Amino acid sequence: MSDQITSTFAALADPTRRAILARLALGETSVTEIAAPFEMSMPAISRHLKVLEKAGLISRGREAQWRPCKLKAEPLKQAADWLDEYRRFWEESFDRLDEYLKTLQIKEKKDARNKNGSGKKRR
């Protein structure tokens, strides 16, 4: 699985490939339609598609002259699940930090009252 995640993240590292995946998230489309918004050659687009295909993020077919590309979301789910573990770690860390900061604020308020004399006991 980690090899799959490595391939997924390597493929996602390029903004052109991320844009291609975003387009394919809307539905199956042809290589020509995928290439349209990019200012690059068809061979360059083809290389990006090969990287995505090798990472298991897309599938490519052939129907006569039409070469449809389709998003395969499972590797993205695996990467998202992997990242989710770290998201939980950071959320828990931030929650602990928040509690600590609240404790410090309460202590500062008490110290400030004591310093100003308002915290003294009256007899």
Side-chain angles (χ1 to χ4, degrees), residues 95-121:
D95 289 344
R96 287 192 305 272
L97 179 60
D98 188 44
E99 288 300 315
Y100 178 70
L101 292 174
K102 285 178 184 176
T103 303
L104 287 180
Q105 289 172 339
I106 292 168
K107 185 179 181 311
E108 285 178 359
K109 286 179 184 178
K110 285 181 183 177
D111 289 347
R113 276 187 261 149
N114 288 337
K115 189 174 185 180
N116 293 332
S118 63
K120 293 182 182 175
K121 292 184 180 178

Side-chain angles (χ1 to χ4, degrees), residues 34-110:
I34 290 170
F38 302 105
E39 294 183 16
M40 61 178 68
S41 67
M42 284 301 281
I45 290 293
S46 183
R47 284 191 295 273
H48 283 295
L49 293 173
K50 284 179 185 174
V51 170
L52 292 169
E53 189 174 28
K54 189 173 181 178
L57 293 167
I58 68 167
S59 63
R60 295 198 287 177
R62 184 177 213 159
E63 297 173 20
Q65 294 297 325
W66 194 53
R67 292 179 166 259
C69 292
K70 183 177 180 178
L71 178 67
K72 292 173 62 180
E74 183 57 32
L76 292 173
K77 183 183 179 325
Q78 290 173 353
D81 290 346
W82 184 82
L83 287 170
D84 196 43
E85 292 297 319
Y86 292 93
R87 181 189 55 80
R88 279 190 225 118
F89 166 78
W90 283 109
E91 284 177 354
E92 290 169 6
S93 297
F94 288 135
D95 289 344
R96 287 192 305 272
L97 179 60
D98 188 44
E99 288 300 315
Y100 178 70
L101 292 174
K102 285 178 184 176
T103 303
L104 287 180
Q105 289 172 339
I106 292 168
K107 185 179 181 311
E108 285 178 359
K109 286 179 184 178
K110 285 181 183 177

Side-chain angles (χ1 to χ4, degrees), residues 20-30 33-34 66 68-71:
I20 290 169
L21 290 176
R23 170 55 191 92
L24 290 174
L26 301 174
E28 185 176 270
T29 190
S30 71
E33 290 173 14
I34 290 170
W66 194 53
C69 292
K70 183 177 180 178
L71 178 67

